[in-house]
C-alpha cells in the first residue's frame, strides 16, 4: 500500500514556499526575467537567505536534509510560479548535491555543500557533446593524466547555467581503451581555469536559464579535481537517474498545473457568442482532459518519489513519470494556446512562454524516445 498524502511538515513547507514566491516571485518578475533573458539573481539570493537552497543538502553540511518527496513538493510548487527558476534550482544545486553526497570525498563535501546551501557557489553539469546526446557515454572530450595534473581537451554542448557556475561537473573520457561506459570520469572544473571558454547558445525557451557550449583547450586540473573514482564517472550518472527523473517530473507537473490554472481563469472571463467560452462543451472537454492528465502525471510522480525514498529501484516508474509528465505539460501548453485563440499568440500573455518552455521537457533528462526504450526494456527483460 502506498500513501501519497503529504505530511503536515510537507504541507507547511509548500504553504510557506507559496507565500514566499507570491511575494518575491510575482508574475511580473517572471515575465521580466524571460524578456530580458536574465538569470534571476535577486530571487536566488533570497532563496539562499531563507535557507531554501539547502533543502536537498544533508543537515551535517548545512542543509535541511530533505527527502526526494520533499524536493518534489518544493519543485512542483516552484515550477507553478516560475518554471525556469525551478529548473535553475535543479541544475545549480540539486544535481551537484546528489553527486557530491554519493561520490564526493569528505573534504569536498565539507568545503562545497555548506557554500552551495548558502548560495555562495553554483554548479552546472556537463555531459552532452556535439556528437553525443542520447548516446551520452560515447563522449569524446579527453582527459589525460600528466604527472600530477589532468590535461583536458574537447568540446561540450548544451550545458545549462555554465555561465553562472563556479564549478562545472564535467564528464570526460579518461580511458580510451576501456568499454565506453567504463572510461569516463567526473571532473570538478572551475570555468575560470585557463583554456576554458564558455559561449552562450540562443534557444527557444527557458530564457532565464542560460545554455552554453564549452571549449576546452589544454585545460590543466589538479589530480584530485574529480568526484568519485577515476573511470567510474558513468556510475555517478546512473546512480541518481531515478531521483533526477522525479525532480524533472515535479517541474513538469507544477508547470502543467500552472497552464491549467491560467486557462481556467481565461476561459471563465472570455466571452464569445454571448457566453463564457468555458460553457462550450468542446472547451470543457479540453479542460477535463488537462485536469485528468495532470492528476495522472502527479500520481506517477508521487509513486516514483515514494519508491526513491524507500530505496526501491524504480527505473521504469521514474521513466514513466518523466515521460508522461513531460508530454502532459507539452499538451497542456498547446491546449492552453488553442483555448486562447489569437490572444495566446501574444507575448503579453504567459501561455506562449509555457508553449516555448515546455518543449525542453521532452528532451532534457532523456528524450521521449529514450524514455520509451527504457520502459519497454523493463517489459521485455
Ligand atoms: C535547453 C537544454 C538544456 C540542456 N541542459 C543540459 C545540461 O545541463 N547538461 C547536459 O549534459 N546536457 C544538457 N542538455 C542536452 C540534452 O540532455 C540532450 O539534448 C538530449 O539528451 C538529447 O540529445 P541530442 O540533442 O544530442 O539528440 P540526439 O541524441 O541526437 O537525438 C535526436 C533524435 O534521435 C532520437 N534517438 C536517439 N537515439 C535513439 C534511439 N536509440 N532510438 C530511437 N530514437 C533515438 C532522439 O529521441 C531524438 O528524437 C540540454 C539540452 C537542452 C536543449
Amino acid at each position: 500500500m502506498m500513501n501519497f498524502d503529504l505530511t503536515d511538515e510537507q504541507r507547511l513547507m509548500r504553504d510557506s514556499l507559496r507565500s514566499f514566491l507570491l511575494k518575491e516571485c510575482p508574475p511580473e518578475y517572471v515575465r521580466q526575467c524571460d524578456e530580458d533573458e536574465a538569470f534571476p539573481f535577486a530571487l536566488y539570493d533570497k532563496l539562499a537567505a531563507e535557507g531554501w537552497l539547502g533543502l536537498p543538502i544533508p543537515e551535517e553540511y548545512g542543509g535541511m536534509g530533505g527527502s526526494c518527496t520533499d524536493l518534489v513538493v518544493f519543485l512542483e510548487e516552484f515550477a507553478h510560479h516560475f518554471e525556469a527558476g525551478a529548473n535553475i534550482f535543479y541544475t545549480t544545486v540539486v544535481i551537484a548535491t546528489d553527486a557530491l553526497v554519493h561520490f564526493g570525498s569528505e573534504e569536498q563535501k565539507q568545503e562545497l555543500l555548506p557554500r552551495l546551501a548558502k548560495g555562495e557557489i553554483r554548479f552546472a553539469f556537463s555531459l552532452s557533446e556535439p556528437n553525443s546526446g542520447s548516446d551520452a557515454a560515447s563522449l569524446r572530450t579527453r582527459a589525460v593524466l600528466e604527472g600530477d595534473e589532468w590535461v583536458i581537451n574537447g568540446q561540450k554542448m548544451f550545458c545549462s547555467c555554465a555561465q553562472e557556475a563556479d564549478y562545472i561537473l564535467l564528464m570526460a573520457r579518461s580511458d580510451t581503451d576501456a568499454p565506453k561506459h567504463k572510461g569516463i570520469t567526473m571532473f570538478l572544473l572551475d570555468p575560470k581555469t585557463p583554456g576554458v571558454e564558455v559561449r552562450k547558445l540562443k534557444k527557444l525557451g527557458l530564457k532565464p536559464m542560460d545554455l552554453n557550449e564549452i571549449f576546452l583547450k589544454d585545460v590543466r586540473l589538479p589530480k584530485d579535481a574529480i568526484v568519485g573514482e577515476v573511470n567510474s564517472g558513468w556510475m555517478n550518472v546512473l546512480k541518481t537517474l531515478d531521483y533526477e527523473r522525479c525532480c524533472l517530473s515535479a517541474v513538469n507537473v507544477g508547470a502543467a498545473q500552472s497552464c491549467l490554472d491560467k486557462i481556467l481563469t481565461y476561459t471563465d472571463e472570455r466571452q464569445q457568442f454571448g457566453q463564457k467560452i468555458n460553457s462550450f462543451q468542446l472547451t470543457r472537454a479540453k479542460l477535463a482532459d488537462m485536469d485528468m492528465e495532470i492528476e495522472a502525471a502527479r500520481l506517477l510522480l508521487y509513486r516514483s518519489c515514494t519508491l526513491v525514498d524507500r530505496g526501491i529501484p524504480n527505473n521504469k516508474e521514474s521513466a514513466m513519470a518523466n515521460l508522461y509528465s513531460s508530454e502532459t505539460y507539452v499538451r497542456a501548453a498547446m491546449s492552453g494556446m488553442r483555448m486562447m485563440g489569437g490572444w495566446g499568440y501574444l507575448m503579453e500573455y504567459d501561455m506562449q512562454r509555457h508553449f516555448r518552455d515546455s518543449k525542453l521537457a521532452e528532451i532534457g533528462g532523456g528524450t521521449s524516445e529514450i524514455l520509451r526504450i527504457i520502459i519497454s526494456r523493463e517489459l521485455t527483460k
Side-chain angles (χ1 to χ4, degrees), residues 259-270 278 287:
C259 292
L260 175 58
D261 293 348
K262 283 170 184 142
I263 204 63
L264 282 172
T265 306
Y266 184 85
T267 54
D268 193 47
E269 287 168 356
R270 176 75 175 165
N278 69 5
L287 295 174

Side-chain angles (χ1 to χ4, degrees), residues 91 125-130 132-135 157-160 203 206 209 211 360 363-370 373:
T91 303
F125 171 64
S126 184
L127 173 65
S128 306
E129 295 187 358
S132 56
S134 300
D135 182 14
M157 189 69 188
F158 297 127
C159 183
S160 300
K203 59 177 165 29
L206 288 172
M209 183 171 81
L211 186 65
L360 178 67
I363 303 169
T367 63
S368 297
E369 288 75 22
I370 296 299
I373 289 171

